[in-house]
Amino acid sequence: MAAAAAAAGLLRQRAGGGGGAAALWRAQRRQRSTFDVAVVGAGIVGLASARELVRRHPSLTFAVLEKEKELAHHQSGHNSGVIHSGIYYTPGSLKAKLCVQGAALCYEYCDQKGIPYKQCGKLIVAVEQDEIPRLKALYERGLQNNVRGLKLIGAKEIEAKEPFCRGLMALDSPYTGIVNYKQVAQSYAEDFQEAGGTILTDFEVTNMEMAKESSSESEDGLKYPVIVRNSKGEEIYCRHIVTCAGLYSDRLSEISGCSPEPRIVPFRGDYLVLKPEKCYMVKGNIYPVPNPRFPFLGFHFTPRMDGSVWLGPNAVLAFKREGYKLFDFSTGDFLDAVTYSGLWKLVLRNLSYGLSEMYRACFLSAQVKQLQKFIPEVTINDVLRGPSGVRAQALDSDGNLVDDFVFDGGSGDIGSRILHVRNAPSPAATSSLAIAKMIADEVKQRFEL
């Protein structure tokens, strides 16, 4: 009946002139592309959040908008694959709470879905005497964060767990594991779609604005007042937007009229890989004791689900936000980074560290020297250059790394309808299901769903 009435209406409008037919076509097209909530970004955090939202609100309509042709293509598909246990993070911080909760949820989810993982553990190894007090402090921090199974072990126990590793003392974290996060993200997407969600790929969001409806379309315009437009001029209508845009979180915030701070500065991390015939030297994750003077964790040994072993990464400024190769360059991204005062303040505070990282990025022997502190048998002949990832590092105008989760919105017609996930730092993949619950709580509160 409804279809017949629509067809009859279309015939009448055609008889009356092309303008009416065009108006009906626009209304029908918009009806097919209207959603209560649009989630921008199909990385692991965006997909987990969309999954949680559609499960909580089955009567509402949801879409995920992704600029690439495939899902989990950037940070979610270019990471080490470690299921972190929550040792490093400040007690009481969101990072600590969400990591511990997220790790438990991740293991549970993988068991439910039959996604393979390995709970291979991690040793944080002190190789110098002055690292031991920091290692013990890390142990106490882990206990405060309720990390399971932690214990301090000596040199003989290190060798028993990792026969090729040498160290004075180590923090043993048996609950740390590895998984293929791209596979996890794909599973989230399947859950979302099975629950009625829509995923639109190849949809790069370039504009968000309030609809300007004519009187004949005003009722629908009031219900779905936000237009989200992509680089091809295609558009969807929605009531609310949640952005989980990773490397582009600051730019999407600016597009919507919200604050540009904190800014995203991309750091590329280059990995080495052990040659296949040398992978027997590493059983689980082997990490250094982090130096609190420097912002990154340092070189580590990471086994992978496919049996390979990754070594690294370093951390150098990327000249392109999605630049995974040494010579990848974007003039816009480069200028955006180097004209930001916050970056220069960070660089000047960590100049020696930054120069060392750049040196190691260029010379393989310098990277191998770092690895030999833990496994002396590793030689330059045992390693190959491997993949790279780009980390979306949020940075404030004072040059401080934003180390915890940041949610942001705005005021006015558009700003009040948007929730920006401005910073979802490592271990966001581990924490994705816990982050999703928090985002769903925030969405419910802000948008009164």
Side-chain angles (χ1 to χ4, degrees), residues 377-392:
E377 285 85 349
V378 172
T379 71
I380 197 168
N381 297 319
D382 298 331
V383 302
L384 300 168
R385 291 198 180 275
S388 299
V390 178
R391 172 176 176 166

Side-chain angles (χ1 to χ4, degrees), residues 318-321 323 325-335:
F319 298 142
K320 184 179 180 181
R321 291 203 179 195
K325 297 177 183 177
L326 181 61
F327 297 109
D328 282 350
F329 184 84
S330 162
T331 302
D333 290 349
F334 176 72
L335 291 175

Side-chain angles (χ1 to χ4, degrees), residues 170-191:
L171 179 53
D172 181 12
S173 173
Y175 197 59
T176 301
I178 56 173
V179 73
N180 181 339
Y181 279 120
K182 191 157 191 173
Q183 187 177 358
V184 174
Q186 293 282 0
S187 184
Y188 292 168
E190 290 168 12
D191 293 346

Side-chain angles (χ1 to χ4, degrees), residues 44-94:
I44 197 166
V45 172
L47 291 168
S49 301
R51 172 185 177 273
E52 181 69 19
L53 285 165
V54 77
R55 285 159 61 93
R56 289 196 191 187
H57 307 283
S59 63
L60 301 182
T61 54
F62 295 89
V64 171
L65 312 178
E66 168 55 42
K67 73 182 183 68
E68 303 295 347
K69 290 182 171 64
E70 62 180 270
L71 309 180
H73 186 64
H74 290 292
Q75 289 186 105
S76 303
H78 291 82
N79 60 64
S80 62
V82 175
I83 303 173
H84 292 278
S85 60
I87 297 168
Y88 299 103
Y89 317 117
T90 304
S93 67
L94 275 176

Side-chain angles (χ1 to χ4, degrees), residues 236-357:
I236 63 108
Y237 287 67
C238 62
R239 292 168 56 205
H240 304 287
I241 301 171
V242 178
T243 70
C244 301
L247 285 157
Y248 291 92
S249 61
D250 56 342
R251 291 184 181 173
L252 274 183
S253 181
E254 285 191 88
I255 285 171
S256 70
C258 297
S259 171
E261 300 281 343
R263 292 276 288 277
I264 295 298
V265 176
F267 283 88
R268 193 183 72 253
D270 303 313
Y271 288 91
L272 304 178
V273 294
L274 276 179
K275 290 181 177 178
E277 63 270 21
K278 293 294 182 176
C279 289
Y280 66 87
M281 289 194 286
V282 177
K283 296 183 179 299
N285 295 280
I286 302 172
Y287 276 60
V289 179
N291 189 329
R293 291 184 300 150
F294 303 132
F296 301 108
L297 289 178
F299 257 60
H300 43 269
F301 299 74
T302 303
R304 301 278 293 175
M305 289 301 299
D306 62 4
S308 63
V309 177
W310 287 12
L311 315 169
N314 58 5
V316 294
L317 180 67
F319 298 142
K320 184 179 180 181
R321 291 203 179 195
E322 292 162 355
Y324 299 104
K325 297 177 183 177
L326 181 61
F327 297 109
D328 282 350
F329 184 84
S330 162
T331 302
D333 290 349
F334 176 72
L335 291 175
D336 199 30
V338 300
T339 57
Y340 183 49
S341 62
L343 174 63
W344 288 107
K345 291 172 184 176
L346 175 70
V347 167
L348 291 173
R349 282 203 301 266
N350 297 277
L351 187 59
S352 63
Y353 177 83
L355 292 173
S356 297
E357 288 291 284

